[in-house]
Amino acid sequence: MKIDILTLFPNSFSYLDESILKRARQNGIIEINIIDIRSFSKDKHKKCDDYPFGGGAGMLMSVQPIYDAVKSVQTKNCKIIMPSPSGQLFNSEIATKLSKEEHIIFICGHYEGIDQRVNEIFDVQEISIGDYVLSGGELASMVIIDALARQIEGVISRESLEEESFVDGLEYPQYTRPQDFLGYKVPDVLVSGNHKEVAKWRKEQAGKKTKATRPDLIKTKER
């Protein structure tokens, strides 16, 4: 998969060169390119924002630099994503669907947003990672990229993927050594060696956790 990220702040993406994503890039599974929108500005000062027509607080990112930045990397089959609080709420299902794309372009907004004509010119899919506002689309883009990358063959093991949260409710509690820490002990069943009982316990605990903290996932599954 090829991922192009259009941003005013290209130094914001060091996380993409760490851990699982770093290995995926080194192994050629994912190609990630960071494109500085400012380099496409035709303003002599490389300005990329202006006051909104009709008034209002803050500045809007201008259409021209974004248009030229998108056109510089756009391909026939690319998917264009714009993180936005007004977009569709991101979830595991969307991550899985995006993981099957060949080429994704992320447009990272900033200031008070982006000139609406970007959406009108391009087939943009707006995605929200939650009901709150961030300073820009950079953090949201990294969240989406991390989640979809895990769904791509070869990035993580299939076993890990199948046991992850949201595949079948929330994940069960997990423990590692030491077996006793300040009197807090690992449940006996997990050290019993009885794999059938371990599987049963994990399923029960996952169900309890999902019911207690995310009952909406149970309702979604039932529908």
Side-chain angles (χ1 to χ4, degrees), residues 96-107:
T96 300
K97 186 174 182 180
L98 291 178
S99 72
K100 303 182 188 304
E101 297 288 341
E102 296 179 5
H103 181 199
I104 299 178
I105 299 173
F106 285 88
I107 302 175

Side-chain angles (χ1 to χ4, degrees), residues 13 56 72 85 104 120 141 146 157 172 191 200-202:
F13 295 92
S72 73
I104 299 178
E120 296 171 1
S141 293
D146 188 282
S157 70
Y172 47 79
V191 294
K200 180 182 177 182
W201 180 88
R202 286 176 169 173

